[in-house]
Amino acid sequence: MLRLNRDRSSWLLALFLLLGVLAPSGSVLWFMNDAARSQAESARQRVTEAYREQLRLLRERADDWWKARAAALDGLTLSGPPPSAFTAAVKAASADSAIVLDAKGAAIYPSLPAAPAADPTIGRPEWDSAQSLERARDLVGAAAAWERLARTERDPNRAARAAQGQIRCLVRSGRRDAALASIQRRFAGSPAAAGRDTDGRLIAADEQLLALHLLQRGDPRFASIARRLAATLNDYDGPPMVSAQRLFLMGEVRALAPEMANFPWSPAELLAERFLEAGPARPGNSSLEATGLGGVWKLTSPDHRVIALYRSATVVSLMERVLAGRNPSRSVRISVDPPGAPSGGEAIAAGAMLPGWQISFALLDATPWEDAARRRTTTYVWLGFAVVAATVVAGIFAGQFLRRQAQLNRLKTDLLAAVSHELKTPLASMRLLVETLLEDERPNALKTREYLELIDGENLRLTRLVENFLTFSRIERNRQRFELAETRPAAVVDSAIAAMRERLQAPGCRLDVELSPGLPTVLADQDALTTVLLNLLDNACKYTPAEKRIRVRAYQENGRLIFDVEDNGIGIASREQKRIFRRFYQVDRRLARETGGCGLGLSIVEFIVRAHGGEVKVESRPGAGSTFRVWLPCRPAAGETVA
Ligand code: ADP
């Protein structure tokens, strides 16, 4: 019953800890963790919100920048020839390339190869005769005729054509040096330098290429001619050259004299050529617009005379450069993404000048927020753990206190029940005996004596019970005091046996007492030790049904005094041997009720023995009797009072 109660209270305590402490503590931890997370999230949101506002400013800046680029393209065609407008436009708009248009919207640079123009030499007799001489393979005559014409012609196209004829005839007649000299002389500063052929090609440039072909690479003139040709190709302000010729000659120079082939405008020329091949150049509106060429965008000048071309990557890097100046934080990357491209973070439309584009920002380094959040979470979690630990400790203390209270209550109830029951039995039997004696009008002496002895037995039993209750009560209230004095073991044994004399000398009971000679005295409370032996002897009598053989021994072993109380009684199962020393524990309650007892005797024995610095144990087997053994230290310090 007691064990059952203890188990139940342990379960209740565990349940209380689980429900009352652990569950709320777990919830607190969870809430704290969650709070830390949402704080981090809201910090991130605040930053995001601040940057979204920033994005609007950046969009305005992007719009302004593009408007300024378009404005810079305005009127460029008025200030120079188309090639010069081409380079000016690329520079002014920071573009990859540009198309220069005429007033009707047709591309004039880079133009497609011009349709052959009418031959300016037709119908001129001196031209006819030079051509006839050349056809007749009179190369010397023809060269002289061409030379005359080149010298006299004022028209640049005709002068260049004549010089070209002369050089051709000199080359064909094997006069290479004369041809080279003529190339040098005829196209330097003379009207022929700007002359074109019927395809619109600049004759001077073609002739310079011819000179390169005529020369060996090691010739000292080669480098200077190559340099001059490269300079002509890079010159967009001089005599206008069609783009196709320029690109062709750039390729030739690259092959013949790679070290001279430094053509910064070549990528712009190539992009413009690709653009024009994809379709006619159509001016757009004032914003950046997609073109027929994938990944290429156009920006048209307000006067519709120039179209600046941009690759997507150029737009992106331009915008990143422009906007980087306005980006206040290094931990945020601002980017501009073309239509359809996934943005790297929070994004808004890039504005009127970049339709379809987006400006976005991404937090490059989220570590500061995450670190702060992590630190906060750690603090919260530790705090939570501290709270949980404190709560658990408090819970354990509270649980123990409650359990102790419950035990005390149970103890009180048990004691009350035991007292009332155990006192009732001897009192009732004494009353019965007394009533029987009183009813007998002429009682005989023998019977009277027998009854009085019975009453005396019950009286003794009652006294023992009351003594045990009182001792127990003192122990429980921590009031039990022992008066220590030099005590002879024989005196303890004698007084215990004397108190039990009646029962021990009764028929069917044999008592053997063995006291080793020369036993030392012990420092002890004699009455308390007598109580120990009395309780053990009482039990030996109670739990030995018939033919009791009880042996009391006192001897010394290993510096300790030992009392043995041995019986041939019912014995005790080994699993019960520890429990019998607990308060109110009885192996068999029914039997205990018959024999009288309330389960306090052995607990009192153990308490007294321990208080004297000793120990008590039992050796027993069911049906084979029991031996209770008490060890006591022989010489504790003199005059000591043990509480
Ligand atoms: P009680 O008043 O019931 O005797 P005790 O504390 O003296 O209480 O003993 C506790 C229990 O131990 C007893 O109820 C009994 O079951 C068992 N016990 C004690 N002494 C003996 C013994 N000598 N032989 C068999 N059982 C014993």
Side-chain angles (χ1 to χ4, degrees):
M1 188 62 179
L2 270 174
R3 198 172 51 212
L4 212 68
N5 278 345
R6 202 182 337 267
D7 285 352
R8 195 183 298 155
S9 65
S10 306
W11 272 107
L12 277 174
L13 183 65
L15 200 69
F16 165 76
L17 275 179
L18 193 74
L19 294 180
V21 177
L22 295 183
S25 308
S27 315
V28 167
L29 280 184
W30 186 83
F31 276 125
M32 281 182 157
N33 194 22
D34 205 52
R37 261 174 218 277
S38 31
Q39 270 194 17
E41 191 49 43
S42 78
R44 184 183 272 273
Q45 292 240 307
R46 278 202 301 280
V47 173
T48 306
E49 199 46 55
Y51 272 97
R52 202 172 288 137
E53 191 52 43
Q54 187 72 18
L55 279 187
R56 288 186 200 111
L57 295 175
L58 292 176
R59 172 165 65 190
E60 281 169 24
R61 186 175 169 83
D63 264 359
D64 292 348
W65 191 84
W66 285 105
K67 278 179 194 149
R69 297 288 83 72
L73 295 173
D74 214 21
L76 282 180
T77 47
L78 305 174
S79 54
S84 142
F86 168 78
T87 55
V90 172
K91 278 191 230 160
S94 308
D96 287 313
S97 185
I99 309 291
V100 182
L101 308 170
D102 64 13
K104 290 187 194 126
I108 51 172
Y109 195 91
S111 56
L112 293 172
D119 189 342
T121 64
I122 291 172
R124 289 176 173 261
E126 56 280 41
W127 282 79
D128 290 344
S129 80
Q131 275 168 354
S132 320
L133 285 170
E134 193 177 341
R135 264 199 299 275
R137 294 195 174 269
D138 178 2
L139 295 173
V140 176
W146 285 127
E147 198 268 335
R148 255 191 319 277
L149 278 171
R151 235 183 316 114
T152 52
E153 273 293 353
R154 290 289 130 231
D155 172 63
N157 290 346
R158 279 199 292 272
R161 292 278 298 275
Q164 194 178 28
Q166 183 204 1
I167 293 158
R168 190 169 58 239
C169 291
L170 289 172
V171 172
R172 285 176 70 192
S173 60
R175 292 152 68 194
R176 200 177 56 109
D177 282 341
L180 282 167
S182 180
I183 291 171
Q184 304 273 54
R185 199 174 53 245
R186 289 283 160 234
F187 294 105
S190 69
R196 302 165 173 284
D197 67 8
T198 47
D199 289 337
R201 298 168 67 96
L202 200 62
I203 292 169
D206 281 348
E207 292 309 301
Q208 279 167 25
L209 177 66
L210 176 64
L212 283 186
H213 278 294
L214 291 176
L215 284 169
Q216 299 296 321
R217 260 196 76 86
D219 194 297
R221 288 167 292 176
F222 184 89
S224 77
I225 293 176
R227 195 174 300 116
R228 239 186 38 229
L229 178 54
T232 309
L233 295 176
N234 282 334
D235 180 11
Y236 283 77
D237 299 325
M241 190 190 306
V242 291
S243 175
Q245 184 191 13
R246 211 186 282 267
L247 283 171
F248 167 74
L249 290 175
M250 283 174 179
E252 289 295 301
V253 173
R254 238 177 243 121
L256 292 169
E259 69 280 4
M260 302 291 175
N262 180 20
F263 303 120
W265 294 105
S266 142
E269 292 275 4
L270 287 169
L271 179 61
E273 187 186 47
R274 270 180 57 217
F275 175 76
L276 290 173
E277 275 168 12
R282 284 202 196 87
N285 58 32
S286 55
S287 65
L288 197 73
E289 293 170 286
T291 67
L293 211 57
V296 176
W297 305 82
K298 65 179 181 187
L299 180 71
T300 309
S301 66
D303 64 2
H304 283 202
R305 295 295 299 273
V306 177
I307 298 172
L309 298 178
Y310 296 88
R311 289 193 178 86
S312 297
T314 309
V315 178
V316 169
S317 77
L318 279 172
M319 283 292 85
E320 277 175 6
R321 237 184 15 243
V322 168
L323 301 182
R326 293 293 293 264
N327 178 9
S329 168
R330 286 214 189 119
S331 57
V332 172
R333 188 172 61 89
I334 305 286
S335 58
V336 176
D337 310 300
S343 58
E346 282 289 317
I348 61 166
M353 290 302 284
L354 291 170
W357 287 66
Q358 288 192 314
I359 303 183
S360 66
F361 75 88
L363 300 179
L364 281 184
D365 186 13
T367 335
W369 289 285
E370 274 162 14
D371 275 356
R374 211 170 297 128
R375 272 200 302 277
R376 215 169 298 129
T377 310
T378 316
T379 316
Y380 282 174
V381 167
W382 276 114
L383 253 171
F385 270 123
V387 170
V388 171
T391 322
V392 168
V393 170
I396 288 173
F397 277 126
Q400 274 179 343
F401 177 74
L402 288 177
R403 212 174 69 172
R404 187 146 180 76
Q405 285 301 111
Q407 274 176 344
L408 277 178
N409 281 342
R410 209 165 42 232
L411 214 60
K412 275 184 203 158
T413 322
D414 286 352
L415 190 62
L416 212 65
V419 168
S420 51
H421 180 265
E422 298 310 325
L423 292 186
K424 222 166 66 188
T425 320
L427 283 176
S429 46
M430 278 196 286
R431 203 179 62 228
L432 195 72
L433 288 166
V434 170
E435 277 171 6
T436 318
L437 275 181
L438 289 176
E439 274 168 15
D440 200 347
E441 305 239 317
R442 275 188 299 274
N444 80 40
L446 203 66
K447 185 180 168 195
T448 309
R449 180 166 185 83
E450 186 192 337
Y451 273 41
L452 285 175
E453 277 171 0
L454 282 175
I455 291 170
D456 185 41
E458 289 301 325
N459 197 0
L460 272 176
R461 181 174 160 187
L462 200 59
T463 313
R464 287 229 45 70
L465 264 174
V466 171
E467 268 170 15
N468 270 351
F469 285 143
L470 290 177
T471 313
F472 172 75
S473 152
R474 279 197 300 274
I475 291 171
E476 277 306 307
R477 285 181 295 126
N478 232 353
R479 290 280 162 80
Q480 180 67 23
R481 293 277 181 275
F482 297 106
E483 294 302 324
L484 300 183
E486 292 296 332
T487 306
R488 285 186 310 106
V492 176
V493 175
D494 287 347
S495 57
I497 291 174
M500 290 274 297
R501 180 166 297 116
E502 304 300 326
R503 288 167 70 193
L504 293 171
Q505 287 176 356
C509 176
R510 201 180 94 196
L511 172 73
D512 295 324
V513 180
E514 290 175 25
L515 292 175
S516 292
L519 283 176
T521 55
V522 285
L523 194 62
D525 184 319
Q526 186 174 333
D527 288 346
L529 286 192
T530 307
T531 306
V532 167
L533 281 193
L534 258 177
N535 275 336
L536 294 179
L537 282 169
D538 186 39
N539 282 351
C541 284
K542 281 195 299 191
Y543 301 110
T544 308
E547 289 308 316
K548 307 181 205 284
R549 279 200 312 281
I550 299 170
R551 190 151 72 133
V552 179
R553 293 171 67 208
Y555 54 98
Q556 195 186 0
E557 198 178 83
N558 297 333
R560 295 198 290 181
L561 175 68
I562 300 170
F563 290 107
D564 276 0
V565 178
E566 190 183 331
D567 64 51
N568 60 332
I570 55 171
I572 305 158
S574 56
R575 65 168 190 288
E576 304 283 5
Q577 289 177 9
K578 273 233 163 72
R579 300 177 187 156
I580 52 174
F581 292 96
R582 291 181 194 156
R583 290 169 302 194
F584 296 108
Y585 190 85
Q586 292 174 313
V587 177
D588 183 344
R589 284 196 168 243
R590 215 161 29 87
L591 178 65
R593 204 164 298 132
E594 283 166 18
T595 55
C598 57
L600 283 178
L602 287 181
S603 70
I604 291 170
V605 166
E606 190 180 47
F607 177 83
I608 294 172
V609 172
R610 283 213 180 143
H612 282 78
E615 58 179 329
V616 54
K617 279 194 177 143
V618 61
E619 276 172 23
S620 180
R621 258 186 314 121
S626 315
T627 303
F628 284 84
R629 184 159 296 147
V630 174
W631 286 267
L632 289 173
C634 279
R635 294 195 188 287
E640 196 180 342
T641 299
V642 186

